[in-house]
Amino acid sequence: TFVIENTGNTEASEAERIVLTDTFDPILKNIAVTFNGTAWTAGTQYTYGETTGVFATLPGQITVPAATYTQDPVTGAWTVTPGVSELIVTGTV
């Protein structure tokens, strides 16, 4: 599970062309990938090498909402709540 956080005041959109990569060791077989609860398709949203364990999202597939900011009316202190997206990769060893 990859939890991707954005503490900025604008969304990380498709235009940023974010790419997430990781090498699974041990190598996973028969992987399934979801992004924010939606199933992804190999070759369309990600690539995976079953002989190398190298996983990579394709550019522009990951988006992360902007953070929200709240100010305490008494102290004036600001609190940042990051925008969050979640990428889950499951498989068998």
Side-chain angles (χ1 to χ4, degrees):
T1 300
F2 299 91
V3 177
I4 308 157
E5 295 186 348
N6 178 3
T7 57
N9 64 354
T10 58
E11 172 191 29
S13 69
E14 294 91 353
E16 275 71 53
R17 301 181 55 79
I18 296 167
V19 174
L20 182 144
T21 62
D22 197 10
T23 302
F24 292 103
D25 183 14
I27 294 172
L28 299 177
K29 301 289 183 194
N30 304 315
I31 71 167
V33 179
T34 60
F35 182 70
N36 292 332
T38 301
W40 271 11
T41 304
T44 302
Q45 285 109 355
Y46 71 92
T47 60
Y48 182 66
E50 284 204 354
T51 58
T52 62
V54 176
F55 172 87
T57 63
L58 295 177
Q61 298 302 309
I62 292 180
T63 59
V64 188
T68 57
Y69 304 86
T70 48
Q71 187 175 28
D72 184 296
V74 176
T75 66
W78 285 91
T79 302
V80 177
T81 303
V84 176
S85 288
E86 183 177 67
L87 179 77
I88 300 174
V89 179
T90 59
T92 56
V93 177

